[in-house]
Amino acid sequence: MSEAHAAEQRKATVVEKRRPLSRGDNPLVRAVGRLPARVHTKLLIAFVGTAVLLVAVGVFGLRVLAQSNDRVEKLGALQKRTSAYGKLRSDSSHVRLLLEENVGSDFYRVNPAGRPAGRGETGRLAVDRAIADALARIGPATLVDGLGFVPPSEDEGVLRKIRLKSGGLSTIIREIIESDPGEDQHTLRLRAEQLSRDLDQLATELANATTAKTDDLITQNASAYTSSRNLVIGVAAGAIVLALLLGFVLSWSLIGPIQRINTRLAAIASGDFSGHVDVSNRDELGALGANVNRMNDELRRLYRELEAASRHKSEFLANMSHELRTPLNAIIGFSQVLRERMFGEVNEKQEEYLDDILSSGNHLLSLINDVLDLSKVEAGQVELEVAPFSLREALERGVVMVRERAMKDGVNVALGTHPGVDLVTGDERRIRQVIFNLLSNAVKFTPAGGAVDVRATKVDGEVRVSVADTGPGIAVEDHERIFEEFHQTETGVEHLEGTGLGLALSKRLVELHGGRIWVDSELGKGSTFVFTLPARPA
């Protein structure tokens, strides 16, 4: 490895170290990438993990719903108890109020005979019977059949006391009802009033205690709903975050290596073989990265060998072309001497042979010159003699050089230049060589009666020269290949002229000037070759 290449590689390594961390460089992402498992297995684990998280959220939600349902059931039972106990309290309070009506001083006064004054016996008896009817409802209402549910153990004791109190009170009321109205009932009524107060107190305590439990459960249920809602939202959010984290880590454990491999392949495609791709995955992507690195090293080796072979080829062609030109010039020179009859007369057959020798020699010399020029360009040995020159004059000279053959073949050559196009900067000899190559090709492939049109204009700050012909045209798939060395279209092969080097050499020379060259053509519609040159600053 050369010192320049080593320095370039060290520079690339420093740049790589200074590159900011991407998502693919996350330690967690790299840890997942290093797991010894196939990509298929990792994806399956990610999908299963996501499904497990969804199931966990669902199970937790069902559990919360079940707890909420239990609280609702408890609340329903408490509300049923509250309703039943409220009815007991209502009946007990009714009994107490009726007794107070019959006993209280606000309704009657007791006379010496013990009979109440200000009130009829019939009304007092009706109240007593109403009390008896109310007490008859209280007793059964404390039993399971009357309640409609099985009371809890803490309520059963109170209900038993209520039954006992109501039973005792019912006995006293029956005694009062069955006793002679003339008898003194004041003591019985005072006992009944006391029992009714005890009964009402028991029923009220039972109802209030159940109502308090109901209110407390409602409060707990509201609080539990808020807590459950927040907990469900938290668990769901946590599951989503975990799923996203899992997806992020797994996706970037795959995307990161793919991006690095793609970047390295792009560099390889551009001719940069100085670096390696860093893929630490222990899966198919890791194997792919290793193969890309091996391919990079092998291409670098082959590229160096090809560069050396190309350099040797160019040197060989340059040397051979130079060696061939000396004897070929002698052949052409002596043939011209004989053709001019400087050493005696030649007969008609000899003259014909001398014309063939001169034609073949000039063709071979042209081929050798093209090979020599192309090899010099490839070897980087061409130094342009850049200077301002008249493009119009170069085009006129090119037209003059091909006009004789054009007239012989019946082809009309026309030149037109824009008034603002004249001086350009470049190597005049090389530009004239490009112009001649394009003109000679156009005349060669244009049939009799056709035309070749040469134009020079200024477009977008550059000079554009076009050579259009009415020849057979070029297929679209050949538009790029005709600028390659030794490549000719089928029409060019049929003409048995040229070597396929003229356009390749023209392309290299135009590019050395910082310009471009291309062709616009369709089969049967002629061709237009265009090349550009940077305009000379005003």
Side-chain angles (χ1 to χ4, degrees), residues 220-367:
Q220 291 179 4
N221 197 21
S223 177
Y225 167 76
T226 303
S227 300
S228 299
R229 180 194 62 192
N230 295 337
L231 191 58
V232 168
I233 293 174
V235 171
I240 292 173
V241 170
L242 287 176
L244 291 176
L245 179 61
L246 182 62
F248 170 83
V249 171
L250 182 62
S251 62
W252 275 103
S253 70
L254 304 179
I255 295 173
I258 292 175
Q259 288 181 338
R260 289 193 289 271
I261 291 173
N262 180 64
T263 301
R264 183 86 286 270
L265 288 175
I268 291 174
S270 64
D272 178 16
F273 307 105
S274 61
H276 276 174
V277 61
D278 178 22
V279 178
S280 58
N281 290 38
R282 299 173 64 184
D283 49 26
E284 293 89 340
L285 292 176
L288 178 61
N291 289 332
V292 168
N293 289 332
R294 283 195 292 270
M295 179 188 70
N296 177 85
D297 295 340
E298 183 64 16
L299 287 175
R300 178 170 56 190
R301 183 185 66 81
L302 293 175
Y303 187 74
R304 289 175 179 172
E305 292 180 357
L306 286 174
E307 281 185 331
S310 178
R311 185 174 64 256
H312 294 157
K313 178 209 67 172
S314 299
E315 293 174 353
F316 171 76
L317 289 176
N319 294 332
M320 287 299 298
S321 299
H322 180 73
E323 293 298 327
L324 288 172
R325 289 173 70 179
T326 301
L328 188 57
N329 286 328
I331 293 173
I332 294 173
F334 287 128
S335 298
Q336 289 175 339
V337 169
L338 294 175
R339 182 69 176 76
E340 296 296 329
R341 295 176 173 83
M342 296 179 65
F343 294 100
E345 293 294 327
V346 293
N347 58 40
E348 184 178 347
K349 197 65 176 177
Q350 290 172 336
E351 185 176 357
E352 180 182 350
Y353 289 159
L354 287 173
D355 289 338
D356 291 340
I357 292 172
L358 282 173
S359 176
S360 299
N362 286 324
H363 178 69
L364 185 57
L365 182 60
S366 176
L367 170 61

Side-chain angles (χ1 to χ4, degrees), residues 410-422:
V411 177
N412 180 47
V413 180
L415 171 63
T417 59
H418 191 275
V421 176
D422 188 12

Side-chain angles (χ1 to χ4, degrees), residues 20 26 51 58 150 153 254 278 333 399 408 455 465:
N26 186 288
V150 178
S153 58
L254 304 179
D278 178 22
V399 170
K408 179 180 176 182
R455 300 288 176 189
V465 179

Side-chain angles (χ1 to χ4, degrees), residues 54-66 228 231-233 235-236:
L54 291 175
V55 171
V57 172
V59 170
F60 182 77
L62 289 176
R63 181 180 177 184
V64 171
L65 287 176
S228 299
L231 191 58
V232 168
I233 293 174
V235 171

Side-chain angles (χ1 to χ4, degrees), residues 307-503:
E307 281 185 331
S310 178
R311 185 174 64 256
H312 294 157
K313 178 209 67 172
S314 299
E315 293 174 353
F316 171 76
L317 289 176
N319 294 332
M320 287 299 298
S321 299
H322 180 73
E323 293 298 327
L324 288 172
R325 289 173 70 179
T326 301
L328 188 57
N329 286 328
I331 293 173
I332 294 173
F334 287 128
S335 298
Q336 289 175 339
V337 169
L338 294 175
R339 182 69 176 76
E340 296 296 329
R341 295 176 173 83
M342 296 179 65
F343 294 100
E345 293 294 327
V346 293
N347 58 40
E348 184 178 347
K349 197 65 176 177
Q350 290 172 336
E351 185 176 357
E352 180 182 350
Y353 289 159
L354 287 173
D355 289 338
D356 291 340
I357 292 172
L358 282 173
S359 176
S360 299
N362 286 324
H363 178 69
L364 185 57
L365 182 60
S366 176
L367 170 61
I368 291 174
N369 288 334
D370 286 344
V371 171
L372 180 60
D373 289 339
L374 187 61
S375 63
K376 285 182 177 180
V377 171
E378 290 181 346
Q381 298 176 357
V382 173
E383 295 184 3
L384 299 179
E385 298 178 2
V386 179
F389 69 94
S390 174
L391 180 62
R392 183 180 303 168
E393 292 182 4
L395 291 173
E396 290 174 350
R397 290 182 183 180
V399 170
V400 169
M401 292 175 67
V402 299
R403 180 162 289 165
E404 181 179 354
R405 175 171 178 174
M407 293 176 61
K408 179 180 176 182
D409 294 341
V411 177
N412 180 47
V413 180
L415 171 63
T417 59
H418 191 275
V421 176
D422 188 12
L423 291 180
V424 295
T425 301
D427 189 324
E428 182 178 2
R429 185 174 70 87
R430 297 300 184 182
I431 297 302
R432 287 171 60 183
Q433 187 176 358
V434 173
I435 295 172
F436 178 75
N437 282 338
L438 297 182
L439 283 171
S440 61
N441 282 344
V443 171
K444 178 171 60 176
F445 292 110
T446 301
V452 175
D453 187 26
V454 185
R455 300 288 176 189
T457 58
K458 184 177 290 186
V459 181
D460 297 332
E462 62 183 7
V463 176
R464 183 172 296 181
V465 179
S466 63
V467 178
D469 62 59
T470 57
I474 301 171
V476 176
E477 59 269 19
D478 288 330
H479 284 188
E480 296 293 334
R481 290 186 292 176
I482 59 174
F483 292 101
E484 298 175 3
E485 294 89 341
F486 303 105
H487 184 88
Q488 290 180 293
T489 63
E490 294 181 0
T491 304
V493 174
E494 290 174 359
H495 276 71
L496 299 176
E497 292 187 39
T499 59
L501 292 176
L503 289 177

